[in-house]
Amino acid sequence: MKIRGEHECVTRCQPPTAQSPSKAIVHEKTQPHIPTMVGNVMKKVMANANGISIKEYYIQYDHEFAPFGEDEQFCAAMFEGVSVLLDTTWIDSRYLASAAEEFGIPYFHIDLSVQTYVKLLESFLLARGGNDVVYILPNYQDADATIYLLITDSYLRAIVFGELDGDTVDRIRDLRPYPSFYAVIAGTMEMNNILQKAIDGGLVRKPEKWNLLFTDLQTDQYTLGDDFPQMNRLVLDSNTCCILLQQRFPCICPDPFDPMDAHLQNVLERIVQWFIKDPIPLVRASNCTPESQQQELLEHAIAAQTKLMNEIAAMAEFWITPESGMLRPNLNLSIISQPANQNTTSAAAQPPPATTIGNVAKGQIVLVKNESLQPSKRFFRVGTTESIPWAYRKRDPNGNILRNSATGEPIWEGYCIDFLHQLSVVMNFDYDLVSPRNGTFGLRDADGKWDGLVGDLVVGEIDFAIASLKMTAEREEVVDFVAPYFEQTGILIAMRKPVRETSLLKFMTVLRLEVWLSILLAIVATAVMLWLLDKFSPYSAKNNKDAYPYECRKFTLKESFWFALTSFTPQGGGEAPKALSGRTLVAAYWLFVVLMLATFTANLAAFLTVERMQTPVQSLEQLSRQSRIKYTVVKDSDTHDYFRNMKNAEDVLYQMWRNLTLSSGNDQAQYRVWDYPIKEQYINILSAIESANPVATAAEGFRRVNERLDADFAFIHDSAEIRYEISRNCNFTEVGEVFAEQPYGIAVQQGSHLQDELSYFILELQKERYFESLTAKFWNNSARSQCPNTDDSEGITLESLGGVFIATLVGLALAMITLLGEVIYYRRKETSRHFIKVAPFGNADKPMARDGKRIALKQKSIAAVKHLLDLDTPAKALRGAATTVKINTKKEKPIPKEITIGNKFVSAAEKQQKLSYIAIMPRNAIH
């Protein structure tokens, strides 16, 4: 480096003598005020110093040129003689310190810049747990000094801005990732100006992240303290003035008061006193070469310098950091902030006022009892996009997006939103949700540029993306993925359950109408034919009394219809006809009945089985082979890309196979086959998808599925989203198995420091089974318990066979109507009959009077029985008994022994052809 600039002699211009110490003061070329500042302070110091004269050399240091020890101006000063080297620059002091050591000149590095304030503010930020900060300074000179300090001695990742203007505001607003803190170091009036520009530019969204350090004592003119009490303020404490002025507290602080002027005066006073107490020789050098004969004197000077530094370090007005050895002023700063135990996040509540909670002195934080600093929280811009149930904007019943009343931002919900909130808790950060300006998840155009979440990550618009973002090889080329947070997901087919027509007579539709009419016609024809055969056949029971003397079934027309109807039941038709012709007809009819019943049963079972089938297809392959069911995907989605890639793969394989088979080489004959070995499944699927017009969103796809009541439309989409919709909609069902499985992951910028940290906490959450509870929350199938049961696998429903019960009820109603008709008909018939009352057998000894004559009823009854037994007895004999009844005791025909008259019913003998049954007269009276 090379030092350029003119030699400036402020107090004296004659060359120094051996007895007059001389000091060289090095300053930055951007510090033109240093000579004037040092000159004014030297006048005050020298006014109290008697018998000593000090010469000053001012050297502008430009670190862009040769090293300091080779500078011509420095060599000229060394030729005249230098006693001490004072460094007021803010650069790395190694070059100046090494040059002073080479020539044996006592070296002191004094901080008169903003670096002491930055150092104190950094101590405060580190105490709050910060790791990155944006410094805003009032001018570029302070910004340069801050940058050099951060390069050589800082633990924070920092970005420095000077002179806040419109362009700077835009650059700060576009910073990615968002900084944990904003720090402003300025005087009170400059602070008001900077903060107002930041507020107007929309930078002050989280006031608690802003930290203000005031470099003067005019903080009573700060105008934004009541508006933003959440901002942390570091102000010069009143005892700072007393310390630097070496006065007891309390003291009167001059107005205006510049701490750096007081600090420079303290340093120069110590050096002048050192000159008086222990004279320091002049060090001269010719051609910038140290003189060897002065080594003993130089050693004495260096020892004296070390002793002086130890004395200065013990003084209250100085702060010497061990890592740099720079002489800094001891600035005692008061921390004004909201108490941590009273902080509130409610937008409606009035924030508590800010109070003094501690001090910062010599880089140490001392807090008031029971107070604590608010912990630092990093801030990230997190990208997401809508996909149910992962992340979606909350809406009211009318579909309008609900917004946060405080910020005006949309309210987000979903699996990823809950997951992100949990991450912010365990990782201690704040975040803003950002939607991509173009696209959704990310597509690459022909020029290789990405849109959506992937594109925002590539350009640094967001810090990381959390959504239903699948980990693909193409995306891995431009972004990094952390450990997967969700189980393997893939592609699934969703269809609507077919809407079945509810009819109580549905079982009647098993057979067509013409079949039912044919069955009815067969019943009628069989009944009529059976009646005719029984009537005209000579071998029927009706026409063949000798062969069938006992009572047989008479197949009248009514009885024939009854036989034909009852033959359709398991009970059977009853007694069959006796004639061979009738039995032949009945046998043929029974065969017809058996076949019809078996056909009906088989068709009914098949009908109910087909009705229970949820979908007419069960896999993607079956879906591709049919043409009735249409299907589609979300346009330009991962699923759409999957079918495009599979179609392209089939095309490439076809070209390879064609090239092999059409090659003229003999070695390729083994590939020539009659059948096409490459399936065109995905070619057909993609063609069907394009013809059905891919939908714009998943919601539209599910709507189209729900509208097709005949289940003739399918939606191919992400399996997790489909299962979520199925858990909430009773009309949907999934088809087949999941295919093309891939994991979901959080995407970060390539090389981002967040990758390892996010992966670690995701694995920790997995160990705590957090994701299982989150999955159970969003994929909750309890809602399907309210769905109507349309599956007949557990039994046939009443809607399918309710007509059977109706037919039974109709039959019961007809039976009751018939019973009513029978009762009415019987009563009318009974009222038209004449009854003859006779005395009971118990009163036979008391003759009744009839036509003036008494008749013995017992004898008359006996005579009537004999007449029934003897059919040859003339009827007149019975009628003559009305006047005189004479019982002939002589029996013309004995009563057969096989006939018993008593209280039992006994069948007639075989020889008595005229008697089939005998009625037993009861002993009680007949009324």
Side-chain angles (χ1 to χ4, degrees):
M1 301 181 186
K2 187 175 180 66
I3 303 176
R4 296 185 301 174
E6 296 181 357
H7 174 73
E8 299 184 32
C9 182
V10 178
T11 58
R12 296 177 179 86
C13 297
Q14 66 271 20
T17 63
Q19 290 76 20
S20 299
S22 176
K23 62 183 181 187
I25 303 172
V26 183
H27 63 90
E28 297 278 354
K29 68 176 182 179
T30 56
Q31 292 179 310
H33 66 284
I34 290 295
T36 303
M37 179 179 180
V38 174
N40 295 333
V41 172
M42 281 299 299
K43 291 180 182 180
K44 297 179 182 179
V45 173
M46 296 305 295
N48 299 324
N50 298 322
I52 187 172
S53 177
I54 301 177
K55 305 294 182 178
E56 297 97 12
Y57 294 94
Y58 295 95
I59 304 173
Q60 291 185 359
Y61 182 35
D62 192 348
H63 49 79
E64 297 179 358
F65 293 91
F68 180 75
E70 300 177 2
D71 182 78
E72 295 180 358
Q73 191 174 3
F74 175 74
C75 293
M78 291 302 301
F79 177 77
E80 295 182 4
V82 176
S83 300
V84 65
L85 180 63
L86 299 182
D87 180 9
T88 62
T89 64
W90 57 65
I91 64 169
D92 188 358
S93 61
R94 288 177 297 177
Y95 294 112
L96 300 178
S98 60
E101 182 180 2
E102 180 181 2
F103 289 93
I105 304 174
Y107 171 78
F108 297 95
H109 194 185
I110 307 171
D111 181 25
L112 300 178
S113 67
V114 75
Q115 287 187 350
T116 299
Y117 296 105
V118 175
K119 192 71 177 177
L120 292 173
L121 185 55
E122 179 179 317
S123 301
F124 175 73
L125 297 179
L126 290 175
R128 292 190 62 191
N131 56 9
D132 61 311
V133 61
V134 170
Y135 286 104
I136 302 176
L137 286 305
N139 52 68
Y140 290 109
Q141 177 181 330
D142 290 344
D144 291 341
T146 303
I147 291 173
Y148 274 102
L149 175 66
L150 299 176
I151 292 175
T152 58
D153 184 20
S154 179
Y155 299 96
L156 294 175
R157 295 191 300 270
I159 301 177
V160 182
F161 292 93
E163 295 186 3
L164 191 65
D165 53 18
D167 180 66
T168 306
V169 168
D170 294 338
R171 292 171 61 190
I172 295 176
R173 188 170 51 245
D174 294 337
L175 284 177
R176 304 294 181 272
Y178 271 11
S180 300
F181 293 118
Y182 297 87
V184 184
I185 303 175
T188 303
M189 303 310 296
E190 295 172 331
M191 185 72 71
N192 292 333
N193 186 29
I194 291 174
L195 285 182
Q196 191 60 51
K197 291 180 179 179
I199 295 171
D200 296 340
L203 297 181
V204 187
R205 300 180 58 187
K206 295 183 178 294
E208 64 276 6
K209 293 183 175 294
W210 286 74
N211 304 272
L212 315 178
L213 194 154
F214 295 83
T215 60
D216 56 25
L217 296 176
Q218 301 175 358
T219 54
D220 56 339
Q221 300 181 15
Y222 176 58
T223 59
L224 300 174
D226 296 335
D227 297 334
F228 298 97
Q230 304 93 335
M231 293 184 178
N232 299 278
R233 286 176 282 167
L234 301 181
V235 299
L236 290 172
D237 193 84
S238 57
N239 62 359
T240 301
C241 179
C242 300
I243 293 174
L244 296 180
L245 295 179
Q246 303 179 31
Q247 299 177 4
R248 291 183 179 182
F249 183 80
C251 64
I252 298 176
C253 192
D255 187 22
F257 173 72
D258 187 358
M260 293 304 166
D261 283 343
H263 172 57
L264 178 60
Q265 181 174 345
N266 292 331
V267 173
L268 293 179
E269 286 178 353
R270 299 287 83 77
I271 294 176
V272 169
Q273 293 175 5
W274 179 47
F275 285 164
I276 296 173
K277 182 178 179 181
D278 192 358
I280 302 300
L282 291 173
V283 177
R284 292 186 174 90
S286 299
N287 299 325
C288 288
T289 302
E291 298 178 358
S292 60
Q293 63 271 19
Q294 297 180 350
Q295 291 301 318
E296 295 181 359
L297 296 176
L298 296 178
E299 292 178 358
H300 172 73
I302 297 300
Q305 173 196 357
T306 304
K307 182 179 178 181
L308 177 60
M309 289 294 294
N310 293 333
E311 293 176 358
I312 292 177
M315 295 180 179
E317 59 266 25
F318 297 104
W319 173 35
I320 301 177
T321 55
E323 59 273 10
S324 66
M326 179 180 289
L327 294 175
R328 303 183 187 275
N330 183 12
L331 302 177
N332 194 344
L333 302 177
S334 297
I335 304 174
I336 301 177
S337 178
Q338 283 184 316
N341 54 4
Q342 297 182 11
N343 189 24
T344 178
T345 58
S346 175
Q350 183 69 23
T355 59
T356 302
I357 63 173
N359 296 88
V360 183
K362 293 186 177 182
Q364 301 297 322
I365 308 297
V366 181
L367 297 177
V368 179
K369 186 178 180 180
N370 298 329
E371 291 293 346
S372 61
L373 294 176
Q374 297 181 10
S376 166
K377 282 190 176 182
R378 293 171 292 173
F379 188 81
F380 301 123
R381 285 173 59 90
V382 182
T384 190
T385 186
E386 282 196 301
S387 59
I388 298 175
W390 305 102
Y392 52 92
R393 296 177 179 90
K394 189 176 181 180
R395 289 175 168 83
D396 59 15
N398 298 326
N400 300 319
I401 297 177
L402 300 179
R403 297 183 179 275
N404 191 311
S405 58
T407 63
E409 297 294 330
I411 300 176
W412 288 80
E413 292 181 336
Y415 181 100
C416 291
I417 305 305
D418 290 358
F419 174 38
L420 176 61
H421 176 72
Q422 185 66 20
L423 278 179
S424 68
V425 173
V426 298
M427 295 176 60
N428 192 27
F429 66 82
D430 289 331
Y431 61 88
D432 271 350
L433 287 172
V434 180
S435 298
R437 298 176 182 176
N438 298 315
T440 53
F441 297 99
L443 293 176
R444 183 167 53 186
D445 58 15
D447 298 332
K449 296 181 180 180
W450 289 82
D451 64 359
L453 295 177
V454 178
D456 288 349
L457 278 173
V458 171
V459 300
E461 181 68 21
I462 57 178
D463 302 311
F464 62 90
I466 179 169
S468 55
L469 189 64
K470 294 182 179 178
M471 303 171 63
T472 62
E474 293 80 6
R475 293 169 179 169
E476 187 70 33
E477 295 176 357
V478 292
V479 297
D480 290 337
F481 286 95
V482 303
Y485 63 85
F486 192 74
E487 61 187 7
Q488 291 285 99
T489 186
I491 302 175
L492 196 59
I493 305 172
M495 293 186 64
R496 198 191 199 285
K497 292 181 181 179
V499 178
R500 296 176 294 179
E501 297 180 1
T502 57
S503 174
L504 296 177
L505 300 178
K506 185 177 290 187
F507 72 97
M508 297 289 292
T509 60
V510 175
L511 301 178
R512 293 183 177 274
L513 178 61
E514 56 268 22
V515 178
W516 288 113
L517 293 177
S518 299
I519 293 175
L520 180 62
L521 180 61
I523 293 174
V524 174
T526 301
V528 173
M529 290 298 298
L530 188 60
W531 170 62
L532 293 176
L533 291 176
D534 187 76
K535 181 177 182 180
F536 294 106
S537 176
Y539 296 101
S540 63
K542 177 180 180 181
N543 298 329
N544 192 4
K545 298 288 186 178
D546 295 335
Y548 306 101
Y550 50 86
E551 185 70 19
C552 295
R553 186 174 187 177
K554 298 179 181 180
F555 283 92
T556 61
L557 186 60
K558 181 182 69 173
E559 193 70 19
S560 298
F561 273 103
W562 180 250
F563 177 84
L565 287 174
T566 55
S567 294
F568 267 95
T569 64
Q571 186 66 27
E575 184 179 357
K578 302 301 182 180
L580 180 60
S581 58
R583 293 186 175 185
T584 303
L585 175 63
V586 169
Y589 179 69
W590 280 349
L591 178 61
F592 165 76
V593 169
V594 169
L595 294 178
M596 289 306 301
L597 289 178
T599 302
F600 179 81
T601 303
N603 279 274
L604 180 62
F607 177 80
L608 295 177
T609 301
V610 172
E611 188 183 42
R612 287 197 300 268
M613 293 177 61
Q614 297 296 328
T615 54
V617 294
Q618 297 297 327
S619 65
L620 179 66
E621 184 176 0
Q622 293 182 8
L623 189 66
S624 64
R625 291 179 178 177
Q626 55 81 46
S627 58
R628 186 183 70 87
I629 300 175
K630 305 297 182 182
Y631 47 91
T632 190
V633 299
V634 175
K635 184 176 180 60
D636 296 331
S637 62
D638 294 336
T639 305
H640 202 178
D641 289 340
Y642 169 79
F643 288 112
R644 287 170 177 168
N645 296 337
M646 295 299 293
K647 183 258 183 185
N648 294 334
E650 286 184 347
D651 290 339
V652 172
L653 291 175
Y654 169 75
Q655 294 294 336
M656 296 174 61
W657 175 78
R658 188 182 66 174
N659 294 335
L660 286 174
T661 55
L662 298 180
S663 177
S664 59
N666 294 328
D667 295 337
Q668 309 302 328
Q670 56 183 327
Y671 301 111
R672 297 179 185 139
V673 293
W674 290 105
D675 295 330
Y676 179 50
I678 308 300
K679 292 184 178 180
E680 295 181 346
Q681 176 180 347
Y682 291 96
I683 296 176
N684 298 331
I685 290 176
L686 186 61
S687 176
I689 289 174
E690 299 297 340
S691 63
N693 296 328
V695 294
T697 61
E700 183 180 351
F702 287 116
R703 179 184 57 80
R704 291 180 64 179
V705 171
N706 195 42
E707 291 175 351
R708 308 300 283 267
L709 302 182
D710 295 333
D712 56 352
F713 190 83
F715 182 48
I716 308 175
H717 194 55
D718 179 79
S719 61
E721 296 186 34
I722 284 180
R723 286 173 175 168
Y724 174 78
E725 289 294 332
I726 290 176
S727 66
R728 298 166 57 87
N729 194 325
C730 299
N731 296 332
F732 293 154
T733 183
E734 63 180 77
V735 176
E737 300 293 335
V738 179
F739 58 94
E741 292 185 336
Q742 288 177 311
Y744 284 142
I746 298 178
V748 299
Q749 295 178 355
Q750 284 190 337
S752 173
H753 65 282
L754 295 174
Q755 183 177 11
D756 294 337
E757 188 177 2
L758 287 171
S759 297
Y760 171 78
F761 283 103
I762 288 175
L763 295 176
E764 288 294 320
L765 292 177
Q766 286 179 346
K767 289 194 299 184
E768 297 174 2
R769 307 177 72 88
Y770 170 76
F771 295 108
E772 294 183 12
S773 61
L774 200 58
T775 301
K777 174 183 177 181
F778 287 93
W779 282 268
N780 186 1
N781 290 318
S782 60
R784 292 189 66 84
S785 61
Q786 306 298 327
C787 298
N789 184 16
T790 58
D791 187 5
D792 292 342
S793 60
E794 299 180 358
I796 300 174
T797 60
L798 183 63
E799 288 82 357
S800 299
L801 294 178
V804 177
F805 298 95
I806 292 180
T808 305
L809 294 176
V810 170
L812 178 61
L814 291 177
M816 298 301 296
I817 295 173
T818 304
L819 174 62
L820 180 62
E822 289 178 345
V823 171
I824 295 174
Y825 174 76
Y826 178 76
R827 287 183 178 180
R828 289 181 179 179
K829 183 178 180 181
E830 287 298 319
T831 54
S832 62
R833 294 177 59 186
H834 299 282
F835 293 94
I836 300 175
K837 295 183 179 180
V838 296
F841 287 114
N843 300 327
D845 295 336
K846 300 177 181 180
M848 298 178 62
R850 187 177 180 180
D851 298 334
K853 301 179 179 180
R854 304 186 63 87
I855 301 174
L857 294 179
K858 183 175 181 180
Q859 294 177 355
K860 181 178 178 181
S861 299
I862 294 174
V865 170
K866 288 182 177 181
H867 172 69
L868 292 174
L869 296 178
D870 188 7
L871 299 179
D872 295 333
T873 303
K876 295 181 180 181
L878 183 61
R879 289 194 297 267
T883 55
T884 304
V885 178
K886 297 181 179 180
I887 303 298
N888 189 5
T889 59
K890 181 180 178 180
K891 298 179 181 180
E892 299 179 356
K893 292 183 180 180
I895 297 174
K897 297 180 179 181
E898 293 80 359
I899 299 176
T900 303
I901 300 176
N903 56 1
K904 292 183 179 182
F905 181 78
V906 181
S907 61
E910 295 180 358
K911 294 183 180 180
Q912 287 288 341
Q913 300 294 332
K914 295 182 180 181
L915 281 178
S916 296
Y917 302 93
I918 184 169
I920 302 166
M921 302 301 294
R923 295 180 179 179
N924 296 331
I926 297 177
H927 300 284

